[in-house]
Amino acid sequence: GDSSTEAPAIVLRTKSGREQDIVRHSDRSPQLSSATASPDQRPASGPSAGLSAPQNLSTSDLTPGSPGVSPSHGGGRPIAAKGSERLSVSSTTLEERLISFDKNPLPLSFKPIRKLTLDRCPQLSNKGMRQLSTLLGSLEALTITCCKVGDKALVDLLTRSHADLTSCVLKWCPNVSDRTAEALMVCTNLTTLSLHGCRNIQTPAIRDVVMCCQEIASLDLGHTATDTSVLDVISRSDRLHENLVELDLTFCSGITSSVSTHDQESMLRSNFDADVSGISLLGGCQKLRKLVISNCNFIANSDLRDLAEELHSLETLHLRNNINLGASTLLAFLRNNPHIVDLDIYGCHRIGKTALTEMGEFVTAIKCLSVCGTECKTGDFIDDAALISAANSNLLTVMVVPDCVGISDTTASIAAQTSPKLRKVDFSGCRELTDTSIMELAVHCPLLEDINFSGCTKITPKSLTMIARNCALEAVNVSNLPRLTDAVLIELSEVHPLKLKSLNVSGCSKITDIAITKVAQRCLFLEALILRECKLLSDQSITELTRLTRLKTLNVSWCGKVTDDAMHYVLRHCTSLHNLAFAFTTISSGTFRDIATRDIRKLSLQGTNVDDEIFSMLNGRCVTLRQLSLNWCNGFSPQRFNIFCKRLKGLQVCDLSRCQWVNDDVVSTLVRSCRSLRDLRLERCADVTDLSISELRNVCSLEALVLNDCTQVTSESLEMIADSCRQLRKLQIQDCPKVDANTVALFAQNCRDLQQLKIGGHNCHHLNDDCAETIQRVTSQSLRDLSIPWSSISEQSLSSMLAECHHLRTLELNWCDITDDTIEVLASGCPMLTNLSILGCKQVTTTIICVVRDCKHLSVLNVSLCASIPSRLIRKIEE
């Protein structure tokens, strides 16, 4: 609960129970059970000795004169324990049995419950919510997160509380729709409103809520259907201009620079002026202190610049992944808002070292800084000097600078010396960092809690042991460090064992059972453990994980020595596990027998031997499943999967690649049941056709689509997707012979934030000169990963396109008819290349050395079957 409130919070943690456990007894009073109450919840001895703080808050149809109820409260009035006006339920195992009873009356006085919090209660249904709401009076604050409760229960509660409700937070509630929004319209005293992730609330309903609730100070509309018309409502309200302090519009793809025809018609029907100018409408909100417009890629840089000139009170500014943001616009924001302390410009590809260098002139009190290592243009790499200038603050607590391959120990060392309050650093992918800077952090930043050095291959166990000894670390990511040994983890587990909550050692091939056993025995509060590709681990250490009663995330993918019996033992005893990854291990469906956890959110079974039996074992445990990977799992039947799939209302990522049982019926059921899909992978699903793929046009949240080798999919269905799913960022349609170049051009034209594009293949004609021109003109600045094998376009068109793709990291040109001219273009135009494959390009000769010389971050080069490259040159490259 809110620590600023005087009344203490009641936290209810209920064990799982059956639906029939809910009973209604008019002759019984509530009881506070001490069965599993924590020590800090138990009261001192005295008149109430023997009674503990509530684990289960009992409720019933209370009437005047019932034992333990003060008559002054009236019959049936909702109650809470003495001194409390808040009811908070934070439990992943909460089912329909919300409340239990006992015959013993409670000799305490009571107060009405005014604040209700339901946090991640996946088993709470409409029925349970309606029973709970009958026991509540008029609420002041309502918070519901990641629950499947729907309109019917919420409308009654909101209608009853409309006069008193000041805070309503509904986050990731997939069953909430326009009916709930209509009930919110009468809650005119709201000062805090969040509909984050409630995708089923339509734009007109959101607009009407904002129009009616004029006292809102904090408004969160992230991941909703919010469009420019909602901003028009805000711009026309003097009260909102006066009150609005915080605004979150994350992933609101409907906010554009110009109003679409559909939006114009919608606003005209509602008597709004259609002549609006997008995000700049917020310029009248002069008191705005927090603005989050991350991942809104249809906002023009000119509109952002207009907004920057109007706002002068910002303290938090998040512009993550806004590819249109220009350097001058960012500097305008900083110049006009010198008190910004939290800045997130990660993924803003046009921000380079020049902008970061000038940033230090305007903002001197930055506390949280997030940038990424992409450059503005050729030669404008983010380097040490730029980051040092941007992070020039002794108040800095968070520094997130992943993939800044142009920085060295200088940045980290100076940050350590000037920012002793650092608590979180992310230098993942900064391959030039060495032990020197890590030791500086260990010495000067004792408050460090969260470190990420993934992929910093020059770091050795010496510096990591030192930082583990000096800092009380809570989150540690040291994945993909080939030098990491057991000594670092043993030191980590011995110095501050009870602080560690998250540990990622993926790809660290030297880690053995000794280290993981130590961690399991001492780090008892560990919540996340990632052991992917730690191939020396066996059952000896995995069985020790049962000591970790708070473990929520476990990844043992590619750990070939871990057996079915060990994982069955872990799943039976670890009751808090939510995220499970067992890719390419020896587990089977029997592993999930007697599984203890009641709430699975992420599940990866790629390449395992599971079958239909697993569906019955996981029945009821996957209601809140967000990510599911069954890649290469061929033991399922379509009928059983369809039944299972209908429960997965909140599924966002699904991988069914190489599953021979997948057909149109499976895909259609998946799409109709899971309206929140963001990532769908159907590679080599030969029975999938346009019939089911065309239904994806209704999934507007789609960001990644993989259809490689789906030979029956044609341009007809894909063009429907290109027209409706414009926030698509990854597209793979290689070896789809019935798809033409016009379809690819349509994706390039509509999906302006396309970062991965894999097209072409043998006998495929996905790319022609016109398509290449469209890619060059529209998406070249956003592309990171491009694969066009067997391309038949002219070398001139290909070279012109690649010359504009300055941010490419991975490029595949296998079997393309290219010459040294194209290689020279690559060397000068794509300096950030890390992976290049030109397999079978027989006309490429010695110019390949230019790529090796100019692309300083190149780590993978495939020149197989390039007959014109001399063997002596290949040996020189290897050296």
Side-chain angles (χ1 to χ4, degrees):
D2 186 357
S3 58
S4 63
T5 307
E6 293 182 1
I10 296 181
V11 179
L12 302 188
R13 302 187 182 278
T14 66
K15 291 186 176 181
S16 59
R18 301 185 303 275
E19 181 176 339
Q20 53 265 38
D21 286 331
I22 300 181
V23 292
R24 306 175 70 84
H25 293 239
S26 60
D27 58 341
R28 295 185 183 180
S29 64
Q31 185 233 5
L32 300 180
S33 169
S34 60
T36 59
S38 59
D40 59 334
Q41 291 174 313
R42 294 171 187 158
S45 58
S48 300
L51 295 172
S52 72
Q55 178 204 11
N56 299 313
L57 180 65
S58 308
T59 59
S60 65
D61 287 337
L62 298 173
T63 57
S66 294
V69 179
S70 173
S72 62
H73 290 142
R77 189 168 184 179
I79 54 176
K82 180 180 180 180
S84 174
E85 298 181 356
R86 179 178 303 155
L87 172 60
S88 177
V89 180
S90 178
S91 172
T92 58
T93 60
L94 183 67
E95 293 190 355
E96 298 237 354
R97 188 191 66 156
L98 291 171
I99 300 144
S100 62
F101 298 89
D102 197 279
K103 295 180 180 180
N104 300 322
L106 194 67
L108 296 174
S109 60
F110 294 86
K111 281 187 177 182
I113 292 175
R114 306 305 299 267
K115 299 181 180 182
L116 174 64
T117 299
L118 300 174
D119 184 20
R120 296 183 301 278
C121 301
Q123 305 299 331
L124 177 60
S125 67
N126 278 323
K127 180 180 179 182
M129 185 63 190
R130 285 197 301 272
Q131 291 189 348
L132 178 61
S133 65
T134 59
L135 302 159
L136 301 172
S138 182
L139 296 177
E140 292 178 358
L142 173 64
T143 302
I144 301 179
T145 305
C146 296
C147 295
K148 66 175 184 177
V149 294
D151 295 323
K152 193 168 184 180
L154 287 176
V155 168
D156 293 340
L157 189 57
L158 291 172
T159 303
R160 188 186 313 127
S161 306
H162 75 276
D164 298 323
L165 196 66
T166 58
S167 174
C168 181
V169 178
L170 304 176
K171 288 189 175 182
W172 299 110
C173 297
N175 295 334
V176 171
S177 66
D178 289 358
R179 287 188 58 198
T180 297
E182 291 173 3
L184 284 170
M185 294 177 198
V186 298
C187 302
T188 55
N189 293 321
L190 279 176
T191 58
T192 300
L193 175 62
S194 173
L195 301 176
H196 195 102
C198 297
R199 298 178 184 272
N200 288 326
I201 301 181
Q202 302 303 312
T203 305
I206 296 174
R207 188 169 60 234
D208 292 343
V209 170
V210 175
M211 188 190 315
C212 295
C213 302
Q214 299 283 301
E215 304 299 321
I216 293 177
S218 176
L219 181 60
D220 184 353
L221 299 176
H223 292 269
T224 63
T226 298
D227 64 9
T228 311
S229 65
V230 177
L231 304 187
D232 188 63
V233 172
I234 296 175
S235 71
R236 294 170 180 275
S237 170
D238 293 337
R239 292 293 298 164
L240 285 174
H241 282 179
E242 182 70 21
N243 295 323
L244 199 59
V245 175
E246 299 180 358
L247 180 61
D248 189 337
L249 300 172
T250 303
F251 266 109
C252 292
S253 56
I255 297 178
T256 60
S257 296
S258 58
V259 185
S260 66
T261 303
H262 176 269
D263 291 339
Q264 290 178 3
E265 294 174 353
S266 176
M267 287 189 289
L268 287 173
R269 287 195 299 268
S270 304
N271 297 321
F272 287 111
D273 184 3
D275 184 19
V276 295
S277 54
I279 197 70
S280 57
L281 289 167
L282 296 175
C285 302
Q286 293 296 313
K287 293 187 177 181
L288 205 60
R289 295 201 302 268
K290 178 180 179 180
L291 177 61
V292 180
I293 46 178
S294 301
N295 296 284
C296 298
N297 293 314
F298 297 103
I299 302 175
N301 183 54
S302 57
D303 277 1
L304 289 171
R305 186 165 54 249
D306 292 343
L307 180 63
E309 298 295 343
E310 297 291 334
L311 300 180
H312 301 281
S313 302
L314 287 178
E315 297 175 1
T316 297
L317 178 62
H318 289 187
L319 300 167
R320 175 175 288 240
N321 292 324
N322 275 305
I323 60 174
N324 297 323
L325 179 70
S328 60
T329 300
L330 174 63
L331 294 176
F333 270 116
L334 301 177
R335 181 174 57 252
N336 294 322
N337 299 273
H339 300 296
I340 286 181
V341 296
D342 185 352
L343 178 65
D344 186 349
I345 51 174
Y346 182 94
C348 297
H349 312 314
R350 299 171 64 187
I351 304 299
K353 68 178 181 182
T354 304
L356 291 182
T357 302
E358 296 183 30
M359 169 183 160
E361 300 176 8
F362 305 115
V363 180
T364 58
I366 196 78
K367 293 183 179 179
C368 303
L369 176 65
S370 297
V371 300
C372 70
T374 53
E375 77 289 357
C376 178
K377 58 184 178 180
T378 303
D380 198 21
F381 296 100
I382 293 179
D383 57 12
D384 289 322
L387 276 178
I388 291 170
S389 176
N392 183 24
S393 170
N394 58 3
L395 302 176
L396 195 66
T397 59
V398 176
M399 188 174 186
V400 179
V401 289
D403 299 318
C404 289
V405 291
I407 70 171
S408 65
D409 283 334
T410 305
T411 296
S413 297
I414 292 181
Q417 295 169 10
T418 59
S419 306
K421 297 181 181 180
L422 270 176
R423 293 183 177 272
K424 176 180 179 179
V425 293
D426 183 351
F427 290 107
S428 57
C430 300
R431 290 177 291 180
E432 297 302 316
L433 290 188
T434 67
D435 287 343
T436 303
S437 57
I438 305 305
M439 289 181 177
E440 291 276 5
L441 288 169
V443 172
H444 298 289
C445 303
L447 300 179
L448 267 180
E449 298 174 344
D450 188 336
I451 61 173
N452 187 345
F453 301 133
S454 175
C456 300
T457 53
K458 294 184 179 181
I459 296 176
T460 69
K462 180 181 178 181
S463 60
L464 292 174
T465 301
M466 186 174 179
I467 203 170
R469 184 182 301 119
N470 292 1
C471 306
L473 298 174
E474 295 184 4
V476 176
N477 186 341
V478 287
S479 58
N480 300 312
L481 300 186
R483 302 183 186 184
L484 188 72
T485 61
D486 286 348
V488 176
L489 299 190
I490 292 174
E491 183 73 25
L492 192 63
S493 65
E494 290 180 348
V495 180
H496 300 286
L498 300 184
K499 292 285 290 184
L500 191 64
K501 295 181 180 179
S502 175
L503 176 62
N504 187 343
V505 291
S506 298
C508 299
S509 56
K510 294 183 179 180
I511 297 300
T512 69
D513 287 328
I514 297 174
I516 301 304
T517 299
K518 278 284 188 181
V519 169
Q521 291 173 347
R522 299 182 62 85
C523 302
L524 301 181
F525 290 167
L526 198 65
E527 296 179 0
L529 182 59
I530 314 298
L531 304 173
R532 180 184 175 92
E533 295 186 77
C534 294
K535 298 182 179 180
L536 297 180
L537 300 184
S538 67
D539 291 354
Q540 179 184 346
S541 58
I542 298 301
T543 52
E544 294 290 333
L545 300 182
T546 55
R547 301 171 181 265
L548 306 176
T549 56
R550 300 191 180 192
L551 193 64
K552 298 177 181 179
T553 299
L554 177 62
N555 187 336
V556 292
S557 298
W558 299 91
C559 297
K561 294 184 178 181
V562 178
T563 67
D564 196 51
D565 292 337
M567 286 315 309
H568 173 248
Y569 185 69
V570 171
L571 293 180
R572 190 174 62 188
H573 290 87
C574 295
T575 59
S576 300
L577 279 173
H578 304 316
N579 309 318
L580 304 170
F582 304 129
F584 293 100
T585 58
T586 60
I587 71 162
S588 63
S589 295
T591 303
F592 295 87
R593 187 176 65 254
D594 305 324
I595 183 172
T597 183
R598 301 291 297 174
D599 174 25
I600 299 177
R601 298 171 193 169
K602 298 179 182 179
L603 181 61
S604 175
L605 301 173
Q606 180 181 0
T608 59
N609 296 321
V610 293
D611 54 27
D612 282 345
E613 186 182 0
I614 194 175
F615 293 142
S616 59
M617 295 179 180
L618 296 181
N619 187 32
R621 291 178 168 86
C622 292
V623 176
T624 57
L625 194 66
R626 294 290 180 266
Q627 298 183 19
L628 175 64
S629 176
L630 300 178
N631 188 352
W632 246 315
C633 296
N634 286 308
F636 299 111
S637 64
Q639 296 78 14
R640 291 295 300 275
F641 179 80
N642 286 347
I643 296 173
F644 176 72
C645 182
K646 291 178 181 178
R647 292 175 171 265
L648 310 180
K649 302 293 186 182
L651 192 66
Q652 297 177 359
V653 179
C654 185
D655 187 354
L656 301 179
S657 299
R658 300 176 180 85
C659 294
Q660 299 174 5
W661 47 273
V662 174
N663 54 28
D664 280 336
D665 188 33
V666 170
V667 177
S668 295
T669 303
L670 179 67
V671 172
R672 292 169 187 169
S673 303
C674 311
R675 292 298 187 182
S676 299
L677 269 180
R678 292 189 291 106
D679 189 330
L680 179 61
R681 301 172 183 267
L682 300 170
E683 184 172 353
R684 294 190 182 181
C685 294
D687 294 332
V688 174
T689 70
D690 285 348
L691 183 64
S692 58
I693 295 300
S694 60
E695 295 193 35
L696 286 170
R697 68 183 185 276
N698 299 318
V699 185
C700 295
S701 57
L702 197 65
E703 297 175 15
L705 179 62
V706 178
L707 297 173
N708 294 335
D709 211 10
C710 292
T711 55
Q712 298 190 57
V713 175
T714 71
S715 293
E716 181 180 357
S717 59
L718 290 180
E719 287 177 0
M720 297 179 186
I721 297 173
D723 282 331
S724 58
C725 303
R726 300 195 172 205
Q727 67 273 30
L728 204 69
R729 306 177 75 178
K730 297 181 180 179
L731 176 66
Q732 298 184 27
I733 51 173
Q734 288 183 336
D735 295 309
C736 294
K738 297 181 180 180
V739 179
D740 58 31
N742 291 333
T743 302
V744 177
L746 187 61
F747 274 107
Q749 179 67 41
N750 292 346
C751 305
R752 296 173 179 265
D753 192 24
L754 203 60
Q755 296 184 7
Q756 183 186 80
L757 181 61
K758 294 190 176 185
I759 57 178
H762 195 53
N763 294 326
C764 294
H765 304 285
H766 294 168
L767 192 63
N768 58 23
D769 292 348
D770 291 339
C771 180
E773 190 275 332
T774 303
I775 294 175
Q776 173 186 344
R777 177 169 46 86
V778 181
T779 60
S780 59
Q781 294 300 308
S782 63
L783 276 178
R784 295 290 179 274
D785 185 350
L786 179 62
S787 176
I788 48 175
W790 302 93
S791 174
S792 59
I793 66 170
S794 66
E795 185 175 24
Q796 181 180 358
S797 296
L798 180 60
S799 298
S800 299
M801 179 181 72
L802 294 176
E804 298 298 325
C805 297
H806 301 307
H807 309 293
L808 270 182
R809 301 295 183 92
T810 302
L811 177 62
E812 180 184 343
L813 298 173
N814 297 344
W815 303 107
C816 290
D817 189 19
I818 61 174
T819 66
D820 289 345
D821 293 339
T822 301
I823 299 301
E824 291 176 356
V825 170
L826 283 178
S828 60
C830 305
M832 297 296 291
L833 272 180
T834 58
N835 293 49
L836 174 63
S837 177
I838 55 171
L839 181 147
C841 298
K842 299 180 180 180
Q843 299 184 59
V844 176
T845 63
T846 55
T847 53
I848 192 65
I849 195 66
C850 297
V851 174
V852 178
R853 182 191 62 219
D854 297 338
C855 300
K856 300 184 183 301
H857 313 299
L858 195 67
S859 58
V860 177
L861 177 63
N862 184 357
V863 292
S864 302
L865 303 179
C866 296
S868 299
I869 299 180
S871 56
R872 69 177 185 280
L873 182 59
I874 294 177
R875 288 195 297 270
K876 182 178 179 180
I877 291 173
E878 290 175 345
E879 293 173 359

